[in-house]
Amino acid sequence: MTELTIQAIHQQLSNLNLNPANIRIVTVNAMPDDALANCTRQADESFYNSYMNVIYGRGERYVLGYRCQDPLIEHAIIRQGDLYFDPTLQANNDFKPYQYAVLTEFKIFDMMKFGKANKDFPPDIDFLFSKKKHFKNIIISE
């Protein structure tokens, strides 16, 4: 995985019609093995895995954004307290901590509310753009 500078991350976010000034960059770390063992972690299913892990209380928030590599990769992770974890990559790859651009975070209540209103769930980046009036802090108006 190629590490990007903050300037390169901001440029790629801008190219995607996103406002980098309102997007946090966090570090995703490895979660403890005992916690990982209880997580949903199917290979290449980060959106589903993260959604299910929050629904079943293995994470407090569903985090939607981009893995910061070249090019940026749409991806979902979970947040527990102040820490960010990626059970999908950790369980299915040789995991190393990495940078992640957080677009938004959903609590379980928000996920359930959006889930009833949206056939394409769990939410992904397209979902944010389809509801851009609710995410105008991060989406650049055309």
Side-chain angles (χ1 to χ4, degrees):
M1 191 179 321
T2 305
E3 298 257 342
L4 295 173
T5 65
I6 195 72
Q7 294 83 7
I9 294 168
H10 282 192
Q11 183 59 53
Q12 286 194 38
L13 290 168
S14 293
N15 293 347
L16 294 167
N17 277 347
L18 296 166
N19 183 356
N22 293 334
I23 296 172
R24 290 180 299 121
I25 307 298
V26 300
T27 300
V28 178
N29 290 297
M31 64 188 334
D33 289 337
D34 58 332
L36 179 64
N38 293 320
C39 283
T40 303
R41 54 192 191 273
Q42 295 177 29
D44 301 322
E45 296 290 338
S46 72
F47 301 100
Y48 172 80
N49 293 339
S50 297
Y51 175 80
M52 295 305 290
N53 287 325
V54 170
I55 293 295
Y56 288 107
R58 296 177 196 118
E60 294 171 5
R61 293 184 182 228
Y62 175 88
V63 183
L64 188 55
Y66 290 92
R67 288 189 345 236
C68 295
Q69 63 185 67
D70 195 15
L72 298 179
I73 303 287
E74 293 180 18
H75 200 72
I77 59 173
I78 60 174
R79 180 176 143 196
Q80 187 71 31
D82 292 333
L83 301 174
Y84 293 86
F85 301 112
D86 185 346
T88 305
L89 281 186
Q90 186 176 345
N92 295 291
N93 291 310
D94 182 24
F95 184 83
K96 292 183 175 108
Y98 66 89
Q99 299 301 119
Y100 185 87
V102 175
L103 299 183
T104 192
E105 299 182 10
F106 294 98
K107 297 180 201 173
I108 192 166
F109 175 79
D110 297 328
M111 289 174 47
M112 299 304 271
K113 180 176 78 173
F114 283 124
K116 289 181 179 178
N118 182 29
K119 295 178 197 143
D120 182 27
F121 217 74
D124 57 14
I125 306 299
D126 291 338
F127 171 78
L128 298 183
F129 279 95
S130 74
K131 306 284 185 197
K132 65 181 167 185
K133 71 179 181 180
H134 299 291
F135 298 100
K136 59 187 170 192
N137 63 321
I138 59 166
I139 297 175
I140 298 170
S141 297
E142 296 175 18

